[in-house]
Amino acid sequence: RRPERLFHPHFIQKSFIQARAHGPAAAHPSGRRPRTRPTPMVQATPSTVQESPPRRITTVLVIDGNEEHLALSVTALGRRGFKVSVADTGREGVRLALSQPFHAIVLAHKLRDGAGFDTLKILADRLPEIPRVFVVPEGQEDLAVRSLNAGASGYLVKTARYYELLPTEVEEQLGKMKARARIMDQQRALEDAQARYREFVESSRAPIFVIDPSGHFIAFNDAMSATTERVARRRWKRRSSDLCFAVRP
């Protein structure tokens, strides 16, 4: 039982004075710090949200002898997010195309140093994997067929507002190029798998064969060939012995 003095008003007032002077520990009548529950520790979990990879910048080379059309092409392609380099001569365009990596090339028919067909043939021969969009003058659509035969991936007629269609044409040619590259990768993977399978079958010691629904052999390995030869020899020996036994007096 607690002593009566702990409940004396003077002692209670003194306790509150000590609490204000010395903190929560002194406010307890016994002078000891009251027990407190430990604060639970919270472990921070790392965020599962992954940052998206930086967007790949697509670079385009525009070769055109018309300075105004160059500016319009750069503006239209830049608004779509392309990084554009320009040249007004075929010689400068070929130099840039061979010295810097570009994802697509836009080439006009009229250049400062001549027609664009010669430049197109050089680019198609030196950089066959890069899409090439050839821009032909309005009213000379027959040049489009010639450009395709000369190595262009696609063409665009230079109308009054052709530059508005230019970004879409470039994106379409890039999509076709990626599809062709994907098909070539799949074809190479299929050829590698077939070569590995052929090597496995030919080097296997176990007889392996393929027959059609009618029961005819379509293909077999060396082990199967050797097995069938041994079986044929055994059958021939058995038939020969049977024949000798039959003619024996």
Side-chain angles (χ1 to χ4, degrees):
R1 184 179 180 183
R2 296 182 179 179
E4 294 296 331
R5 63 182 182 84
L6 295 178
F7 299 95
H8 195 276
H10 176 72
F11 182 81
I12 296 175
Q13 184 180 5
K14 184 178 179 181
S15 299
F16 278 109
I17 295 175
Q18 290 178 353
R20 296 181 61 184
H22 303 288
H28 197 273
S30 61
R32 293 179 297 180
R33 183 182 297 274
R35 293 183 179 180
T36 57
R37 295 182 178 179
T39 304
M41 298 182 64
V42 180
Q43 183 178 1
T45 57
S47 176
T48 57
V49 179
Q50 297 181 356
E51 296 183 359
S52 57
R55 182 182 178 183
R56 182 182 179 184
I57 299 177
T58 305
T59 56
V60 180
L61 173 61
V62 180
I63 309 173
D64 197 327
N66 190 311
E67 184 176 355
E68 181 181 357
H69 293 172
L70 271 178
L72 293 174
S73 299
V74 170
T75 302
L77 292 170
R79 288 175 179 174
R80 196 67 67 90
F82 294 103
K83 181 180 180 181
V84 186
S85 298
V86 297
D88 56 1
T89 63
R91 179 177 299 180
E92 179 66 13
V94 171
R95 187 191 68 81
L96 289 175
L98 297 179
S99 61
Q100 301 179 22
F102 291 99
H103 298 94
I105 299 175
V106 178
L107 176 62
H109 172 59
K110 294 182 179 181
L111 306 177
R112 288 187 178 273
D113 57 353
F117 280 106
D118 296 335
T119 304
L120 176 61
K121 293 178 180 178
I122 295 174
L123 294 175
D125 182 62
R126 302 290 296 272
L127 302 170
E129 71 282 356
I130 299 179
R132 297 163 300 278
V133 179
F134 196 77
V135 182
V136 300
E138 188 176 10
Q140 301 183 25
E141 285 77 6
D142 58 316
L143 297 177
V145 179
R146 290 181 54 190
S147 67
L148 295 176
N149 295 331
S153 305
Y155 70 91
L156 193 63
V157 179
K158 185 178 281 189
T159 59
R161 306 179 70 87
Y162 83 97
Y163 54 89
E164 296 180 355
L165 304 176
L166 182 58
T168 303
E169 179 65 23
V170 171
E171 290 177 347
E172 182 178 348
Q173 295 301 325
L174 288 172
K176 292 180 179 179
M177 183 268 297
K178 293 179 180 178
R180 288 193 298 267
R182 192 180 305 112
I183 292 174
M184 293 180 62
D185 292 340
Q186 293 174 354
Q187 185 175 0
R188 283 194 295 265
L190 178 60
E191 292 175 354
D192 293 341
Q194 290 175 345
R196 291 193 300 268
Y197 175 75
R198 190 179 301 111
E199 182 181 0
F200 166 75
V201 171
E202 293 177 354
S203 61
S204 176
R205 296 182 179 180
I208 301 176
F209 60 92
V210 180
I211 59 175
D212 60 11
S214 61
H216 294 86
F217 284 91
I218 299 176
F220 52 87
N221 63 347
D222 295 339
M224 183 62 188
S225 177
T227 301
T228 53
E229 289 178 1
R230 288 195 297 268
V231 172
R233 292 196 199 100
R234 292 174 185 174
R235 289 182 177 178
W236 172 252
K237 289 180 179 180
R238 186 167 58 249
R239 290 175 182 175
S240 300
S241 60
D242 294 343
L243 181 61
C244 294
F245 178 79
V247 300
R248 183 178 304 174

